[in-house]
Amino acid sequence: MSEGLSLWKDTPTRQAILDFIARITAQESPDFIPPTERIANFDNDGTLWLEKPLYIQLQFGLRAIGKMAVEKPELRERQPFKAVYEKDMAWLGKAAADYAKGDMSGIMTLGAGYLEAFDGISVEAFEAAAREFLNNAQDARFQKPYKLLTYQPMVELVHTLQENDFQVFITTGGGRDFVRAVCEEIYNIPRSMTIGSSVTFQYAEDAQGVAQVLRTKEAEQPIDDGPGKPPHIHRTIGRRPIMAAGNSNGDIHMLKYTVGHKGLTLGLLVHHDDPEREYAYDEGAEKALQLALKEGWIVVSMRDDWKTVFSPSAG
Amino acid sequence: MSEGLSLWKDTPTRQAILDFIARITAQESPDFIPPTERIANFDNDGTLWLEKPLYIQLQFGLRAIGKMAVEKPELRERQPFKAVYEKDMAWLGKAAADYAKGDMSGIMTLGAGYLEAFDGISVEAFEAAAREFLNNAQDARFQKPYKLLTYQPMVELVHTLQENDFQVFITTGGGRDFVRAVCEEIYNIPRSMTIGSSVTFQYAEDAQGVAQVLRTKEAEQPIDDGPGKPPHIHRTIGRRPIMAAGNSNGDIHMLKYTVGHKGLTLGLLVHHDDPEREYAYDEGAEKALQLALKEGWIVVSMRDDWKTVFSPSAG
């Protein structure tokens, strides 16, 4: 095991992860768990890939809203189409600032615009749009396509767990179908093991009589965040996980549900403390960081525990 | 491939299934599909296990409703607790007869009682109750525990597909968590690959502060039947299947969605035409049987295509 996690510095964090894997997988270990029950859940935004300065999906949404406002002038009369079309940074900045203070109204308006932009299209058409964006749109600071801005030590951890017969699921607060467009390519995680928030769907037959699943503009409840994560995990997996990794307050309930499993468990919290290679921020993670101490979750320091952050090809 | 499906008689049906598998899996075949995309969906009631004279889950529900009526006398004032407690076969028979005629009211009342009987318990407690029932409760005619009343040729087909790197999912109109209690044991299908109808859930922490996922008595919409099946399939799998097997009108949309996949697909419809070894009935499958001819779905005759129905240990 000692040669595992080559992208991690030789710190107590790395050692704790390797010890956990060894104790779960060794047949003679009192903590041995069979592969069927080796369930691990990873949050996505800020845990597996970049979430600053804006969620990647929000960048995708802003483009879709802008495109729609160009195509349908009548939409420019109302938000969020008006602000995005006019590049009204005051309105957009206020939505972001309000969100940071716990006022969801501006973000909800943006979210509704996003759902409206893809209302009624087939799941295959949405997948193609998401993949096109993730393949081609670039982050301004790192100058690379978004799909390359995954945290390589975390991706290595996913693969190490898979090699040790863990079943690794993504549990994203963001849109499940957005992540599914690339999850196999960038993480080696199947679409069926990618859980997340979603719209509801409608069955329909097209003009040729071919059955289709169409998106609606209605968000499915609960969203896969905070106390919604454990219900989503149960619904998709049907087992309580033994390992979970997150980075924000939205991951607290998932972490609690995981460490509530009898026997040995592992909770990880990625701490963004690396302004040089990525970002440093505690906003939205204050409570999780506080709880980590009390609950025994391991805090991963991006700065101190990782040899690298992004893939070299990502600059 | 010719020695596959040993529990199937040497008929055109068996040959068509084996041909499909061979064409999908042979590298040099123009119909070759990589394992990631080899998605198959099986309905459960009447396709993988017995559904007569009542759905197995309904037997489970009647016991739970009866037990609750014993424990809480005040419930005996209202339906369905009153009828079940008093063994009022006229009321229960009318609910079943109305259902056969398309009037759902009696069945809805029974369903609400079922959901109420398990309201607020943890998903683990529900799983234990379902497993206890499926292990021990016996079918009156076959005198065996319900979990042994699976159709062995269909189980063999599931395993044959798995050996050929298909990902085989269950898509049941019944309760997902009821089937999950035994799906690994009786089908070798993981819980995470068992899709179905469900209640919604609540996150809660118990008196010891341990996080729990609790059942509610509210049914999640849509239920996983008829036009609800393709949305459930998309939500869980994220890919259009290339094979599906069902037995009733509730499987029509799943079959249409499957054969809507570009390229070679296979739709199977199990026809209950074997009164000696199982049952003979077309009720609830009339439209599906009619469509099968038009759409090219293969009708599996229980009587003519299967050497055996149940496991010998199931009598």
Side-chain angles (χ1 to χ4, degrees), chain A residues 239-305:
Chain A
R239 279 204 160 79
R240 196 186 276 258
I242 60 168
M243 196 211 134
N247 78 301
S248 78
N249 296 339
D251 299 313
I252 288 172
H253 303 81
M254 171 177 75
L255 285 158
K256 283 195 172 177
Y257 188 54
T258 301
V259 301
H261 193 289
K262 287 193 182 67
L264 187 67
T265 59
L266 179 67
L268 292 183
L269 198 68
V270 174
H271 188 202
H272 293 266
D273 58 1
D274 194 337
E276 288 185 22
R277 297 188 298 179
E278 204 240 13
Y279 292 96
Y281 57 95
D282 287 358
E283 302 85 48
E286 301 89 342
K287 202 178 162 203
L289 288 162
Q290 220 169 12
L291 269 171
L293 292 173
K294 186 178 147 214
E295 304 275 345
W297 310 334
I298 292 176
V299 176
V300 174
S301 162
M302 195 171 253
R303 182 188 58 208
D304 299 333
D305 289 320

Side-chain angles (χ1 to χ4, degrees), chain B residues 12-287:
Chain B
T13 299
R14 173 175 174 274
Q15 201 51 56
I17 297 171
L18 291 173
D19 285 350
F20 169 76
I21 296 173
R23 287 172 63 187
I24 290 294
T25 56
Q27 284 276 359
E28 70 282 5
S29 162
D31 301 309
F32 176 79
I33 297 270
T36 321
E37 296 169 34
R38 286 182 206 160
I39 308 290
N41 275 277
F42 282 68
D43 170 59
N44 189 50
D45 291 307
T47 300
L48 286 172
W49 78 17
L50 187 73
E51 66 175 357
K52 293 292 176 185
L54 292 176
Y55 290 126
I56 294 175
Q57 191 182 8
L58 187 48
Q59 306 272 17
F60 173 60
L62 289 172
R63 290 184 195 216
I65 291 165
K67 187 159 167 270
M68 218 171 145
V70 168
E71 288 166 3
K72 300 186 180 174
E74 70 274 18
L75 290 175
R76 298 173 208 161
E77 300 299 314
R78 62 180 171 94
Q79 300 296 10
F81 301 97
K82 181 172 158 60
V84 175
Y85 183 75
E86 295 172 358
K87 297 189 172 43
D88 179 353
M89 299 316 286
W91 190 92
L92 294 166
K94 183 170 185 313
D98 286 351
Y99 174 65
K101 285 183 282 185
D103 173 356
M104 301 289 286
S105 56
I107 287 289
M108 294 291 280
T109 302
L110 271 173
Y114 171 78
L115 298 185
E116 199 174 332
F118 296 106
D119 185 26
I121 70 170
S122 73
V123 292
E124 285 95 346
F126 179 83
E127 177 192 324
R131 185 177 296 117
E132 195 280 329
F133 171 83
L134 286 162
N135 281 344
N136 299 305
Q138 296 212 350
D139 175 77
R141 172 175 165 195
F142 296 106
Q143 298 278 316
K144 294 285 168 184
Y146 286 113
K147 75 168 180 183
L148 296 181
L149 295 171
T150 57
Y151 307 133
Q152 291 305 295
M154 294 302 282
V155 174
E156 183 186 41
L157 174 56
V158 167
H159 297 169
T160 301
L161 290 165
Q162 290 173 330
E163 286 156 16
N164 284 281
D165 294 327
F166 277 73
Q167 298 168 62
V168 183
F169 292 77
I170 292 171
T171 310
T172 178
R176 178 196 61 221
D177 289 0
F178 181 68
V179 180
R180 276 185 177 173
V182 293
C183 61
E184 290 165 348
E185 176 189 349
I186 67 179
Y187 301 132
N188 188 40
I189 294 179
R191 289 187 203 173
S192 60
M193 297 174 82
T194 297
I195 311 170
S197 302
S198 179
V199 290
T200 63
F201 300 97
Q202 285 282 345
Y203 174 89
E205 292 174 23
D206 66 18
Q208 287 75 44
V210 179
Q212 303 291 347
V213 172
L214 305 182
R215 291 173 63 91
T216 71
K217 61 182 177 184
E218 185 198 346
E220 186 190 60
Q221 296 300 331
I223 64 164
D224 187 25
D225 198 36
K229 284 202 174 190
H232 272 265
I233 288 169
H234 171 72
R235 191 174 79 174
T236 305
I237 309 176
R239 279 204 160 78
R240 196 186 275 258
I242 60 167
M243 195 211 135
N247 78 301
S248 78
N249 296 340
D251 300 312
I252 288 172
H253 303 82
M254 171 177 75
L255 285 158
K256 282 194 172 176
Y257 188 53
T258 301
V259 302
H261 192 290
K262 286 193 183 67
L264 187 67
T265 58
L266 178 67
L268 292 184
L269 198 68
V270 174
H271 187 202
H272 293 267
D273 58 1
D274 194 338
E276 288 186 22
R277 297 187 299 179
E278 203 239 15
Y279 292 96
Y281 56 97
D282 286 359
E283 302 85 48
E286 301 89 341
K287 202 177 162 202

